[in-house]
Amino acid sequence: MVLLSIGLTAGLLVVGTCGAVAVARARGGNSRSWGPRSASLMEKIMAGIFVFVTGAMLPGLYVLAGVVSGPPPRWLPFVTAALLLAGCLLIGRLVTRIRWALWSDELLTQFIGEAMPVVVTAQRRAGDHGAKRVEKMRVALREGRGRDALRDAVEVRALVESAGLPEHAAWTEVSGQILYWQESHLPARSSRARSLLRTKGTLAG
């Protein structure tokens, strides 16, 4: 009975996770599709209490539904309540990450699409290096993968800056925007990894 109750609760969480992910991807990253505001701290506390109480009631509901037989152990409601609460917190975190990723892709696709002519011009003035990166940027923009386009833009910027071209107002503005987008939209771990790789390359040279 204990394993069956826990298994049923875990199954409900799996179904809930799949449904939440599907809804998150369908709504996209546009904040207007997610309601006018975020929940307050009190609302979050009340929701947590509701989820915990619901989880504590699940073993009894399984018995009433005839899915399991016999009275549940006294400690089982606390286990299912904790499991449901932890699962809902993980679902909320997952949905937030998906929502942020979609919003980031939408935003960066728009911004980099507008800056693309300047990036292409600067890359051509710097030489043949970076042409493949520019083509990858175009593909990423067509597919709406703004963060991937930004990663390629960062590499193109590095090539342009290393070429030591004369000062150009349009490129200076776009270069600063690429740095800003890199810091605010790309994972810090990836940025640190790139910095370490560049440092190792400099030392090796």
Side-chain angles (χ1 to χ4, degrees):
M1 174 184 179
V2 173
L3 293 178
L4 182 57
S5 297
I6 295 176
L8 289 172
T9 304
L12 290 175
L13 288 174
V14 171
V15 173
T17 301
C18 295
V21 169
V23 172
R25 292 189 180 279
R27 288 188 174 184
N30 191 343
S31 60
R32 286 176 295 182
S33 66
W34 291 86
R37 63 180 180 85
S38 300
S40 64
L41 177 60
M42 183 57 64
E43 289 173 335
K44 292 179 180 178
I45 293 175
M46 294 301 296
I49 294 174
F50 174 78
V51 170
F52 189 86
V53 172
T54 301
M57 295 172 59
L58 286 179
L61 293 177
Y62 297 150
V63 174
L64 291 176
V67 179
V68 297
S69 59
R74 293 183 178 180
W75 51 266
L76 184 59
F78 296 98
V79 173
T80 55
L83 180 61
L84 187 65
L85 181 59
C88 289
L89 290 175
L90 290 176
I91 291 173
R93 186 177 181 85
L94 177 62
V95 168
T96 300
R97 288 174 64 90
I98 293 174
R99 176 186 175 185
W100 182 89
L102 293 173
W103 171 79
S104 182
D105 277 333
E106 292 174 6
L107 185 66
L108 292 173
T109 297
Q110 176 184 352
F111 284 170
I112 297 180
E114 295 172 355
M116 194 67 180
V118 178
V119 174
V120 172
T121 301
Q123 180 270 323
R124 289 174 178 172
R125 290 173 62 225
D128 295 333
H129 299 291
K132 292 183 178 180
R133 287 286 180 180
V134 170
E135 185 59 30
K136 288 180 64 178
M137 286 176 62
R138 289 195 176 100
V139 174
L141 289 176
R142 285 197 298 267
E143 296 177 355
R145 296 182 286 109
R147 287 175 297 163
D148 290 337
L150 176 58
R151 292 185 180 94
D152 293 319
V154 170
E155 300 298 334
V156 173
R157 177 193 173 277
L159 292 173
V160 173
E161 293 295 328
S162 64
L165 299 177
E167 192 72 20
H168 192 279
W171 170 250
T172 300
E173 180 181 357
V174 169
S175 178
Q177 290 177 340
I178 290 174
L179 283 179
Y180 170 77
W181 296 332
Q182 179 187 11
E183 293 295 327
S184 58
H185 289 275
L186 292 185
R189 183 172 57 185
S190 298
S191 300
R192 288 196 297 269
R194 284 192 295 270
S195 299
L196 289 173
L197 288 174
R198 292 195 184 99
T199 303
K200 291 180 180 179
T202 303
L203 294 175

